[in-house]
Amino acid sequence: MSGRQAWREVAIAAVALPIAITLAVMAFAWPAGRISPRDVPVGIVGAGPASQRAVEGLTREKPGAFDFHLYPDQQAARSAIKNRDVYGAFAISDRSFTVLQATAASPAVAQLLTDVGQQLADKTTQRMAALQKAESAHSPAKTHKQTAAQQGDARQKAALQGAAGADSSVKVLVKAIDVVPVATDDPRGVVFSSSVFPLTICGILIGAFVTMARGLARPRHRVLTLLVACAVAALGVYLVAQGFLGALPHNHVATWAILALDLLSISATTAGVIRLVGPAGLGLSAALMVFVGNAFSGATSAPEMLPKGVDYVGQWLPPGAGASLLRDTTYFDGNADAGHLAVLVLWSVCGLTAVMFGHWVIREARGRKTGAPASGELLPPLPGSDTALPVRRHAHARRYDGDD
């Protein structure tokens, strides 16, 4: 037996652990290495020829990158950005490009829209310069030159100045307007995106501690402890993120409540899984929340920048839904937060239910496995006796289960 056990442990160390580590690295590295726009909702202001050319050019050069929404004016586009319908918008004319963006929604997408706007402006400049050159080639240039020479140097200088003015007007200007800016103390959104991973780890630790603590004898004690611990931990996170780093500047009470709900959804799920399957539930919860939920959250970029399928998986898990809900609450007054809120509430309710009633499942499974009678049942009568004996649970067994 010792030899078989040794070979089993060698196989785990040499095969199972390397596979798990490889999958964990791939879960984090693959989405990060495939960041690219995929159906990013973007607005287009107006339906003029310039706007149509821009949409056709982007559709041809970046197929599937953007999901365009048409708005009649910039005010409507700004409202759509604040309502989280689009990440930004392009207001295009023959002489200027205005990029409406929201760094609070995603600094990565805001930078992407600025770059795309500059590329469109450069191409428009080249097209207009080519058209102007073609028109100049077909005009009676020689006649104008002769007339200018006959009328003297003054008119020739004036004509040259007019031509220079025409050449300078070819340049298309690009103006970027940040409709919903990120916090001044966190201009790149680094503090915000960096808080997702610690929140996930802290939620797992809270759930593991509450489940394994021997002093919490009853399920309702565990549930109450989870609620209190998550609320206090969320307050500490908020005091650091906003009070010390200034990264969560708006809707203070709502932001603290979302942080607490995010922690509760992770910790309650961890506690419930441990309650149902035992210590192995800690590993399962960590794998689900860290290597899937955190890696697929899109907190550092945006869900629409991740590979197809990954974005949906990440938003259905607490780390991704919590990051999106926190962003919506802090900067966008809770717009478009219903789906993310429902995800966190669902995970929290399922986890707390498992904590409260999981002991019934465990007790039934234990009884079926051992065949032992439950408390209050009668044992068969002893030889020579006609009276069945009742089974009584000892006090130490009751304290060990901690469920009554």
Side-chain angles (χ1 to χ4, degrees):
M1 292 297 294
S2 60
R4 292 181 181 178
Q5 184 177 1
W7 279 108
R8 188 183 303 113
E9 294 175 353
V10 169
I12 292 174
V15 179
L17 290 180
I19 292 176
I21 294 172
T22 302
L23 293 176
V25 172
M26 186 180 71
F28 277 91
W30 173 56
R34 295 294 184 269
I35 289 180
S36 178
R38 296 172 177 87
D39 293 328
V40 176
V42 175
I44 297 292
V45 177
S51 299
Q52 294 179 1
R53 285 192 297 267
V55 172
E56 292 173 357
L58 289 175
T59 303
R60 182 175 57 255
E61 296 178 6
K62 301 178 181 296
F66 299 104
D67 179 19
F68 295 104
H69 299 254
L70 184 63
Y71 298 100
D73 51 38
Q74 290 195 27
Q75 186 61 36
R78 288 170 178 264
S79 298
I81 293 173
K82 293 178 180 179
N83 291 333
R84 298 290 278 143
D85 296 328
V86 293
Y87 278 90
F90 297 115
I92 305 171
S93 66
D94 292 333
R95 288 291 185 268
S96 66
F97 271 61
T98 301
V99 181
L100 303 176
Q101 60 186 17
T103 53
S106 171
V109 175
Q111 184 61 48
L112 171 67
L113 296 182
T114 302
D115 295 341
V116 170
Q118 186 62 54
Q119 294 173 7
L120 290 175
D122 294 341
K123 291 181 180 180
T124 303
T125 300
Q126 296 173 3
R127 183 182 60 82
M128 294 181 63
L131 290 175
Q132 189 178 42
K133 185 177 180 180
E135 291 176 357
S136 300
H138 289 85
S139 64
K142 294 182 179 180
T143 303
H144 287 293
K145 288 182 179 179
Q146 292 176 357
T147 304
Q150 293 174 358
Q151 293 179 350
D153 295 339
R155 291 189 177 182
Q156 187 175 9
K157 291 180 179 180
L160 291 175
Q161 290 176 357
D167 291 338
S168 62
S169 64
V170 173
K171 182 67 175 178
V172 178
L173 302 178
V174 179
K175 181 172 64 173
I177 299 177
D178 200 347
V179 179
V180 186
V182 76
T184 305
D185 294 333
D186 186 24
R188 299 177 183 175
V190 176
V191 176
F192 185 93
S193 59
S194 299
S195 63
V196 177
F197 184 72
L199 281 175
T200 304
I201 296 299
C202 291
I204 294 174
L205 291 178
I206 292 174
F209 173 80
V210 169
T211 306
M212 298 179 180
R214 293 184 177 273
L216 302 176
R218 300 177 183 274
R220 61 175 177 269
H221 294 165
R222 298 190 181 104
V223 170
L224 181 60
T225 304
L226 281 172
L227 296 174
V228 173
C230 290
V232 175
L235 180 60
V237 172
Y238 180 77
L239 291 177
V240 172
Q242 171 55 30
F244 181 63
L245 300 175
L248 303 174
H250 309 295
N251 301 322
H252 306 293
V253 176
T255 300
W256 164 69
I258 295 305
L259 287 170
L261 180 60
D262 189 11
L263 283 171
L264 179 63
S265 63
I266 298 174
S267 61
T269 301
T270 302
V273 174
I274 295 175
R275 190 71 180 128
L276 292 174
V277 303
L282 177 59
L284 293 176
S285 301
L288 179 64
M289 297 298 176
V290 176
F291 299 124
V292 179
N294 192 81
F296 295 174
S297 66
T300 58
S301 55
E304 292 83 359
M305 300 286 283
L306 300 177
K308 283 293 184 181
V310 170
D311 52 346
Y312 293 104
V313 173
Q315 296 304 300
W316 275 99
L317 293 174
S324 298
L325 181 59
L326 184 62
R327 195 185 300 275
D328 295 341
T329 303
T330 303
Y331 291 105
F332 296 92
D333 295 327
N335 292 320
D337 63 350
H340 307 308
L341 181 62
V343 170
L344 294 185
V345 171
L346 178 63
W347 282 94
S348 300
V349 171
C350 291
L352 294 176
T353 302
V355 173
M356 282 293 298
F357 307 107
H359 63 281
W360 291 353
V361 178
I362 296 174
R363 184 182 302 170
E364 292 178 359
R366 186 184 304 164
R368 287 193 300 267
K369 182 176 180 180
T370 60
S375 176
E377 294 182 359
L378 298 180
L379 289 174
L382 296 176
S385 175
D386 295 333
T387 303
L389 299 178
V391 178
R392 298 186 180 275
R393 298 179 63 184
H394 296 287
H396 70 274
R398 179 177 179 177
R399 182 175 181 81
Y400 175 80
D401 289 341
D403 298 324
D404 296 331

